[in-house]
């Protein structure tokens, strides 16, 4: 089993930055593709960013491309989401997700393909 714990959310003014962290348990972190999703009240869960097992391949939602960066440190069993130039529409609960994959390059962008989820961390951006 894999446990995921997000941290780093908070309140920030538009144009500011936050870095979210997702700490994973277990000894096989390198076998998992990772992703970040967000959900605002009354809205559907939305894909934000994903990264492959090694960190060499990433995919971003168009809404965050150029502003957010996903990365991972496999030695620390941690995935990050660096969020710059934040906008009020970025306000949401942010969730880390993991799925075991069997090829190194694979990036997973569909929420229903993920098996493990963190509890979420709130990001609020004021205008």
């Amino acid at each position: 089993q894999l446990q995921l714990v997000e941290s780093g959310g908070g309140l920030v003014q538009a144009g500011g930055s936050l870095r979210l962290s997702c700490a994973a348990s277990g000894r096989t972190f390198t076998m998992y593709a990772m992703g970040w999703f967000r959900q605002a009240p009354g809205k559907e869960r939305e894909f934000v960013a994903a990264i492959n097992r090694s960190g060499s391949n990433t995919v971003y939602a168009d809404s965050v491309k150029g502003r957010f960066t996903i990365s991972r440190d496999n030695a620390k069993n941690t995935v990050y989401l660096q969020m710059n130039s934040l906008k009020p529409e970025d306000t949401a609960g942010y969730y880390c997700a993991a799925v075991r994959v069997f090829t190194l390059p694979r990036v997973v962008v569909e929420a229903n393909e993920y098996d493990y989820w963190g509890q979420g961390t709130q990001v609020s951006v004021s205008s």
Side-chain angles (χ1 to χ4, degrees), residues 17-104:
S17 297
L18 287 171
R19 189 177 76 159
L20 308 184
S21 298
C22 174
S25 67
R27 293 180 286 164
T28 57
F29 181 65
T30 57
M31 298 300 295
Y32 292 86
M34 304 292 296
W36 287 97
F37 295 79
R38 65 188 182 186
Q39 188 167 23
K43 296 286 189 178
E44 226 174 61
R45 182 171 48 188
E46 177 187 19
F47 169 74
V48 175
I51 192 165
N52 75 326
R53 287 165 49 187
S54 69
S56 63
N57 191 17
T58 59
V59 176
Y60 297 92
D62 287 343
S63 59
V64 307
K65 195 171 299 181
R67 300 188 297 121
F68 291 9
T69 302
I70 187 171
S71 61
R72 67 192 294 162
D73 186 340
N74 287 340
K76 296 182 178 180
N77 279 22
T78 302
V79 63
Y80 303 96
L81 186 68
Q82 179 66 48
M83 309 165 66
N84 298 328
S85 301
L86 282 162
K87 304 174 180 180
E89 51 262 45
D90 296 319
T91 296
Y94 282 72
Y95 298 86
C96 177
V99 59
R100 191 177 180 98
V101 299
F102 300 97
T103 58
L104 188 64

